[in-house]
């Protein structure tokens, strides 16, 4: 898979289909998270949808928000790397995040993507008022997080609810997105059972298929309404 490559499952001249933007945040090119990306991508392609993968570590994405990038800065304009990401974001019909849970939160590079790209030109007042971030408004958010620990332990420590609330729901509501779906994948360790790994990837493919069906339904509704 080539990161950043636009791939579609349709032939030339066919109707334009929805596009999925997958943002991947794991430094290992051989991680289980990479397998999650590949499983989601292949399922979306099988349904005739377009897919763009942005591997933040491979891209060398800078997660640090500079003072002149803050929305309150006079004459604000996004930097070149952020502008490139915004192009992909505007073209996408759904945003898909894939990342491991590190010390209770997503990797810092993904938080930097939120700060610099998702929040580009969007102030805390806009967030409070749920004004709707134009590149994101009305689009679904789908997240896949992985952990080496069991879900029961994560739930006992409040991890499941807290991650859902402070990352998914907060972004979904604050940016005016359509909805939020989060698949938490537990017990991801180097010596895990092959059957467990296969079952988790099947969950990923099923989520991708469900998302594709939802997007196809939305597209069909738009056609009839027009």
């Amino acid at each position: 898979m080539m990161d950043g490559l636009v791939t579609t499952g349709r032939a030339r001249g066919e109707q334009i289909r929805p596009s999925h933007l997958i943002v991947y945040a794991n430094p290992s090119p051989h991680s289980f998270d990479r397998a999650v990306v590949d499983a989601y991508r292949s399922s979306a392609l099988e349904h005739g949808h377009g897919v763009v993968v942005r591997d933040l570590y491979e891209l060398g994405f800078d997660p640090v928000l500079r003072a002149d990038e803050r929305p309150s800065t006079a004459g604000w304009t996004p930097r070149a790397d952020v502008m490139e990401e915004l192009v992909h974001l505007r073209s996408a019909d759904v945003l898909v995040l894939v990342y491991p849970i590190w010390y209770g939160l997503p990797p810092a590079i993904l938080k930097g993507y939120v700060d610099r790209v998702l929040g580009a030109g969007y102030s805390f007042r806009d967030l409070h008022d749920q004004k709707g971030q134009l590149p994101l408004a009305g689009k679904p958010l789908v997240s896949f997080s992985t952990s080496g620990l069991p879900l029961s332990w994560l739930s006992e420590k409040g991890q499941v609810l807290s991650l859902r609330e402070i990352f998914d729901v907060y972004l979904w509501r604050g940016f005016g997105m359509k909805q939020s779906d989060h698949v938490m994948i537990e017990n991801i360790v180097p010596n895990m059972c092959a059957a467990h790994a296969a079952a988790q990837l099947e969950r990923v493919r099923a989520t991708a298929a469900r998302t594709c069906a939802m997007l196809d339904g939305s597209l069909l509704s738009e056609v009839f309404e027009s």
Side-chain angles (χ1 to χ4, degrees), residues 140-225:
L141 171 65
V142 178
S143 300
F144 296 93
S145 62
T146 59
S147 174
L149 297 169
L151 200 59
S152 58
W153 186 90
L154 294 171
S155 296
E156 178 186 338
K157 300 302 180 183
Q159 171 70 71
V160 174
L161 179 60
S162 61
L163 181 62
R164 176 90 169 130
E165 289 293 324
I166 68 174
F167 205 67
D168 295 320
V169 177
Y170 191 84
L171 299 181
W172 165 40
R173 291 176 176 169
F175 289 136
M177 302 184 77
K178 185 176 181 180
Q179 65 184 68
S180 178
D181 191 6
H182 193 144
V183 177
M184 292 188 173
I185 304 176
E186 62 181 328
N187 293 321
I188 300 302
V189 293
N191 60 345
M192 65 182 162
C193 171
H196 174 66
Q200 302 315 306
L201 293 179
E202 185 54 39
R203 290 177 66 201
V204 173
R205 284 187 282 269
T207 301
R210 185 169 64 249
T211 303
C212 288
M214 177 186 62
L215 294 176
D216 285 338
S218 297
L219 180 63
L220 190 62
S221 296
E222 291 177 5
V223 171
F224 280 117
E225 287 176 0

Side-chain angles (χ1 to χ4, degrees), residues 19-101:
S19 177
H20 303 240
L21 174 61
I22 304 176
V23 177
Y24 170 60
N26 190 310
S28 173
H30 308 296
S31 70
F32 188 79
D33 288 319
R34 172 65 75 170
V36 169
V37 169
D38 292 342
Y40 188 99
R41 174 179 175 271
S42 64
S43 180
L45 291 176
E46 288 171 3
H47 285 79
H49 288 210
V51 180
V52 173
V53 178
R54 302 299 285 173
D55 182 335
L56 299 183
Y57 283 96
E58 180 68 22
L59 292 168
F61 179 78
D62 182 1
V64 180
L65 179 71
R66 312 294 176 180
D68 62 355
E69 291 183 284
R70 299 182 65 183
S72 58
T73 303
W76 177 91
T77 56
R79 297 194 178 199
D81 61 337
V82 171
M83 289 182 66
E84 182 178 359
E85 299 308 316
L86 288 173
V87 169
H88 294 296
L89 199 59
R90 292 188 185 101
S91 300
D93 296 288
V94 57
L95 174 62
V96 182
L97 305 180
V98 180
Y99 59 89
I101 297 174

Side-chain angles (χ1 to χ4, degrees), residues 110-131:
L110 184 55
K111 179 56 167 66
Y113 180 88
V114 172
D115 293 346
R116 299 190 64 221
V117 180
L118 302 191
Y122 198 73
S123 71
F124 69 90
R125 293 184 179 85
D126 296 329
L127 191 76
H128 173 271
D129 297 339
Q130 298 181 21
K131 182 178 179 181

